Amino acid sequence: MNVQILSKKLITPSSPTPSHLRNYKVSWLSMFQSPLLYLPNIFYYPSSTGGDNIERSKKLQKSLSEALTIFYPFAGRYIDNSLIIDCNDEGAEYVETQVSGFLSQLLEGGEIETELRNRLAPIPHRPADGPIVLVQFNMFECGAVAIGVCIKHRAADATSVFAFINAWATAARLGVDKVRTPSFQLASFFPPRDIPTFTPNFGEKKAEIQKRFVFNTAAISKLKAVASANINGSRQPTRVEVVTAIMWKALTMMARAKHGRLRPSLLVHSFNLRGKTAMPVPDNSCGNFTNPALARFTADDDENKVELHHFVDRVHDGIRKRVTDSAKISSDDDLFSSVVNTKTEMIEAFHRSDADFYMFNSWCRMPVYEVDFGWGNPGWFSAVAVPGHNMFHFMDTKDGDGIEAWVSLEEDDMLLFQENPDIKAFTGQE
């Protein structure tokens, strides 16, 4: 199946950015993100929605131009040595492609081959001062389309990415006057400052593969029932807690099979700070505003605590601690201390040769299936494989009740992980 580029252009804002907004400082929270890293994702729209794809593309370009006027930093260029986005209106990159074949061929069985899927999103390997937003509009022979969007992580976290994409879709479907205006005040709360250098050393690069594991509604109900039966009190674990826990348990067993003994591990889970601190930060703040929750498996102390509910408790306690700690944050210094302590703990665990490190990122409840440009909601949504080490990425199934878990592991580890009895049982592979 071939993906042929038909055109490539820059889409500039429909109105120029006022001169007093030209230099947009990024907050120190954004400085933890590599200026080279993008957050890539793809929205798939089946041919049954009908319509002329050339006209659709024109509509997308017009509404993108309008959305960029509102999200004006996204049309600029990041200047690394100044820690600012130059809001120069150079625009977003927009690529049109023609894909030979049919979308249904790629989605048979609900799976899509990683290498080909990645070709449906713009190539995010750009210099630090490259476009902040990259769009690829893919047209299939059957009339279906796939829209790949990559946004520079230094400019936005996942919450901001999907706020922008939904604003763009709203402008296309209803008009730009219906778009909710975002806040770009994070740098006023958290101005740039000297931050410690946190550079993970991945060591010798080994081949990693990415696979998708689907926990449907029935599987999650069973996991919740098993966990709840052994949890003290009446607390009902969440979807994310039970899926994280069953995967962490499988990873712990995988490590024991490899090393002949239980090994300690640190689990890191994404955590959105909007609405969680004591600071008056607007909930519609655009940028990076996260601080992950941490959970530990100590091996020696926990050698008899390897059942599902034990892992659920660890995940829950880690998230609850982040909620409690965040509620006490009332100043820039408070948050800086919390984030640096968290990063220090993460890096120390990452570099331990006698322990394992797992990075979980949840996009569950993100409005990805609400992205309607005027021809209906997407039939499917997927992330794109990005370089990482022991990475686990969650997103909703289309019905909103299940979880698709995208797992990136070294090849030998993946073979052990996918054969784990719990993983096979709860993802319908038995």
Side-chain angles (χ1 to χ4, degrees):
M1 194 169 285
N2 185 46
V3 180
Q4 179 187 3
I5 293 178
L6 301 178
S7 67
K8 182 183 294 187
K9 64 181 70 172
L10 290 173
I11 304 297
T12 58
S14 57
S15 299
T17 299
S19 57
H20 71 280
L21 299 177
R22 176 71 185 256
N23 293 326
Y24 172 73
K25 287 188 177 294
V26 300
S27 74
W28 60 258
L29 283 154
S30 288
M31 293 164 63
F32 284 107
Q33 307 299 337
S34 166
L36 303 178
L37 180 64
Y38 283 77
L39 293 175
N41 44 78
I42 307 171
F43 300 83
Y44 305 83
Y45 298 88
S47 55
S48 59
T49 53
D52 182 301
N53 285 335
I54 299 300
E55 290 304 313
R56 283 178 173 175
S57 183
K58 290 178 181 178
K59 186 176 184 180
L60 285 181
Q61 293 175 55
K62 179 178 181 295
S63 53
L64 176 58
S65 176
E66 295 168 339
L68 287 172
T69 297
I70 298 172
F71 287 76
Y72 61 92
F74 287 11
R77 296 294 182 268
Y78 179 68
I79 302 176
D80 198 23
N81 58 5
S82 300
L83 301 176
I84 66 168
I85 295 175
D86 179 8
C87 302
N88 55 17
D89 295 341
E90 287 190 15
E93 182 178 284
Y94 187 92
V95 176
E96 288 181 324
T97 76
Q98 181 66 52
V99 184
S100 62
F102 296 80
L103 180 59
S104 58
Q105 293 175 259
L106 302 183
L107 303 181
E108 287 176 0
E111 194 56 270
I112 183 168
E113 195 271 320
T114 298
E115 190 275 332
L116 181 55
R117 174 167 47 86
N118 289 357
R119 287 161 56 197
L120 298 177
I123 300 173
H125 304 298
R126 307 299 170 93
D129 61 353
I132 289 173
V133 175
L134 312 171
V135 176
Q136 185 168 315
F137 182 72
N138 304 280
M139 297 175 282
F140 289 80
E141 290 179 9
C142 58
V145 299
I147 302 174
V149 185
C150 295
I151 298 182
K152 194 180 287 289
H153 204 345
R154 185 154 279 195
D157 58 15
T159 299
S160 301
V161 165
F162 295 119
F164 170 72
I165 295 172
N166 270 286
W168 174 21
T170 298
R173 185 179 74 257
L174 300 174
V176 70
D177 58 317
K178 302 297 184 182
V179 171
R180 183 190 182 198
T181 303
S183 167
F184 290 101
Q185 300 177 40
L186 279 176
S188 65
F189 290 98
F190 313 107
R193 60 197 291 174
D194 290 333
I195 63 171
T197 301
F198 295 100
T199 306
N201 178 13
F202 290 98
E204 180 186 354
K205 181 65 177 175
K206 296 183 180 179
E208 291 193 357
I209 56 177
Q210 184 185 64
K211 287 198 172 185
R212 185 181 65 136
F213 297 85
V214 180
F215 296 82
N216 63 24
T217 306
I220 289 177
S221 295
K222 290 178 184 176
L223 283 169
K224 285 184 176 181
V226 171
S228 299
N230 295 285
I231 289 176
N232 293 328
S234 58
R235 176 173 63 84
Q236 175 79 342
T238 67
R239 286 185 309 153
V240 169
E241 286 175 350
V242 294
V243 173
T244 301
I246 198 67
M247 297 181 76
W248 193 8
K249 178 187 175 188
L251 292 162
T252 302
M253 298 302 105
M254 177 189 82
R256 184 171 68 179
K258 284 178 60 180
H259 300 281
R261 59 179 176 81
L262 289 172
R263 281 163 57 92
S265 58
L266 178 73
L267 183 139
V268 179
H269 225 304
S270 58
F271 185 84
N272 180 11
L273 290 171
R274 291 169 179 82
K276 306 294 197 311
T277 74
M279 298 182 69
V281 179
D283 286 350
N284 63 334
S285 291
C286 197
N288 285 280
F289 196 34
T290 64
N291 189 24
L294 307 181
R296 286 189 178 275
F297 176 77
T298 57
D300 293 339
D301 294 340
D302 291 350
E303 61 181 337
N304 296 317
K305 297 179 180 179
V306 292
E307 298 304 321
L308 175 64
H309 67 279
H310 295 130
F311 287 95
V312 169
D313 284 340
R314 293 182 187 104
V315 175
H316 174 79
D317 290 347
I319 294 173
R320 183 178 60 184
K321 184 177 186 304
R322 177 58 68 221
V323 171
T324 302
D325 290 350
S326 298
K328 300 173 184 176
I329 291 171
S330 59
S331 71
D332 180 29
D333 286 341
D334 287 347
L335 182 59
F336 186 75
S337 176
S338 176
V339 170
V340 169
N341 288 340
T342 300
K343 297 288 185 183
T344 300
E345 196 170 343
M346 288 168 57
I347 293 297
E348 288 175 352
F350 185 89
H351 285 160
R352 285 183 60 183
S353 60
D354 62 339
D356 297 306
F357 180 91
Y358 304 118
M359 178 75 81
F360 281 71
N361 189 28
S362 174
W363 285 1
C364 292
R365 298 296 181 233
M366 293 287 182
V368 297
Y369 283 102
E370 297 173 17
V371 178
D372 179 2
F373 291 98
W375 55 79
N377 298 325
W380 190 48
F381 165 82
S382 77
V384 174
V386 295
H389 182 80
N390 290 357
M391 298 282 288
F392 306 85
H393 205 103
F394 290 177
M395 54 199 66
D396 293 324
T397 51
K398 187 167 173 34
D399 63 14
D401 295 322
I403 288 180
E404 295 187 5
W406 294 83
V407 177
S408 295
L409 291 170
E410 293 177 4
E411 193 167 0
D412 292 345
D413 290 346
M414 183 67 81
L415 292 174
L416 289 171
F417 179 79
Q418 66 187 12
E419 290 301 316
N420 178 273
D422 286 334
I423 298 300
K424 293 177 74 172
F426 288 101
T427 58
Q429 298 181 65
E430 287 190 331

